[in-house]
């Protein structure tokens, strides 16, 4: 676009948004750098100005997801000082994110699938999972008097369960079932915390 003078950060965001759209339509493997730039309406050279490779674009997508999760946590931290409040707000919030932007969740689910057979992608997915686990661990530890082992166990349960709830929702798109599952998970975690 002539005259479209965006900063590097803005251009990267534009390409990340386009990547989600293209990947949700064509699949992660079917999304080429050229199809992403075409969807974004920018010259192909803009891709390499912002990212050295498609691999680094995927890493940036995962980094953006972690930043989104941390921002959501920070925004609600003052309102959710108890573990119960945090569990109810954070878990339902994560599932509602999927409901609001299902294309992003489809891309993340496909990336997760591909990571099982792609060592290069698996490195990025493990990094993203570790950051997500750290954020959940910190939130639980700040709101409970559980020992570190119990916090780690609860963190693992939450991360795996929420991923499963989102996965099922992507298949059936049943909002009520997903939110009921989240409420049951929150109650189960509280019961474990009280033992």
């Amino acid at each position: 676009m002539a005259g479209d003078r965006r900063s590097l950060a803005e251009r990267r965001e534009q390409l990340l948004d386009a990547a989600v759209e293209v990947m949700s339509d064509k699949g992660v493997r079917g999304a080429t750098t050229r199809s992403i730039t075409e969807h974004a309406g920018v010259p192909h050279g803009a891709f390499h100005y912002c990212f050295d490779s498609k691999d680094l674009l995927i890493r940036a997508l995962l980094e953006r997801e972690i930043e989104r999760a941390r921002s959501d946590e920070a925004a609600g931290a003052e309102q959710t000082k108890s573990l119960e409040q945090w569990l109810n707000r954070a878990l339902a919030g994560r599932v509602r994110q999927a409901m609001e932007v299902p294309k992003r969740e489809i891309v993340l689910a496909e990336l997760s699938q591909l990571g099982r057979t792609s060592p290069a992608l698996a490195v990025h997915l493990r990094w993203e999972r570790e950051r997500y686990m750290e954020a959940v661990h910190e939130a639980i530890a700040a709101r409970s008097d559980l020992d570190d082992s119990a916090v780690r166990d609860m963190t693992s349960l939450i991360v795996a369960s929420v991923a499963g709830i989102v996965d099922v929702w992507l298949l059936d798109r049943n909002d009520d079932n997903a939110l009921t599952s989240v409420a049951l998970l929150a109650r189960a975690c509280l019961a474990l915390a009280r033992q």
Side-chain angles (χ1 to χ4, degrees):
M1 283 181 156
D4 185 3
R5 305 242 186 251
R6 296 183 188 207
S7 69
L8 177 62
E10 291 170 327
R11 185 66 74 202
R12 286 173 59 91
E13 285 300 310
Q14 180 184 14
L15 289 168
L16 289 171
D17 291 341
V20 169
E21 290 292 322
V22 173
M23 288 177 181
S24 69
D25 292 340
K26 296 182 176 188
V28 172
R29 288 188 173 142
T32 63
T33 59
R34 188 161 307 282
S35 63
I36 292 167
T37 55
E38 284 175 4
H39 188 82
V42 300
H44 189 250
F47 184 90
H48 297 288
Y49 171 69
C50 296
F51 303 101
D52 289 335
S53 65
K54 184 178 168 184
D55 190 49
L56 291 177
L57 172 123
I58 289 171
R59 175 67 175 240
L61 279 172
L62 296 172
E63 288 173 353
R64 187 166 78 165
E65 289 309 305
I66 291 301
E67 184 56 36
R68 181 175 285 130
R70 287 191 181 269
S71 293
D72 288 349
E73 172 57 28
E78 287 304 312
Q79 304 153 347
T80 57
K81 295 195 185 273
S82 76
L83 181 61
E84 181 174 9
Q85 290 172 326
W86 179 82
L87 284 166
N88 288 316
R89 187 195 66 76
L91 301 182
R94 174 64 190 96
V95 172
R96 284 192 177 97
Q97 282 179 352
M99 294 171 181
E100 290 168 8
V101 190
K103 284 185 173 191
R104 181 178 64 223
E105 295 304 323
I106 289 167
V107 170
L108 293 172
E110 185 179 353
L111 285 170
S112 181
Q113 253 331 81
L114 292 172
R116 293 183 176 111
T117 57
S118 168
L121 182 55
V123 168
H124 298 307
L125 291 166
R126 279 193 299 273
W127 174 88
E128 185 259 352
R129 182 179 171 83
E130 287 168 8
R131 301 297 81 73
Y132 184 52
M133 297 276 287
E134 285 172 10
V136 173
H137 186 279
E138 289 169 10
I140 294 169
R143 291 168 178 86
S144 73
D145 58 359
L146 296 170
D147 65 45
D148 194 59
S149 176
V151 172
R152 275 196 317 274
D153 291 345
M154 188 178 294
T155 298
S156 295
L157 173 64
I158 288 170
V159 170
S161 298
V162 170
I165 292 167
V166 169
D167 245 10
V168 169
W169 181 84
L170 284 171
L171 292 172
D172 69 17
R173 305 293 171 112
N174 188 320
D175 296 2
D176 291 337
N177 282 353
L179 292 173
T180 298
S181 295
V182 164
L184 288 171
L185 174 60
R187 284 201 305 266
C189 287
L190 284 172
L192 289 171
R194 291 179 182 135
Q195 288 184 345

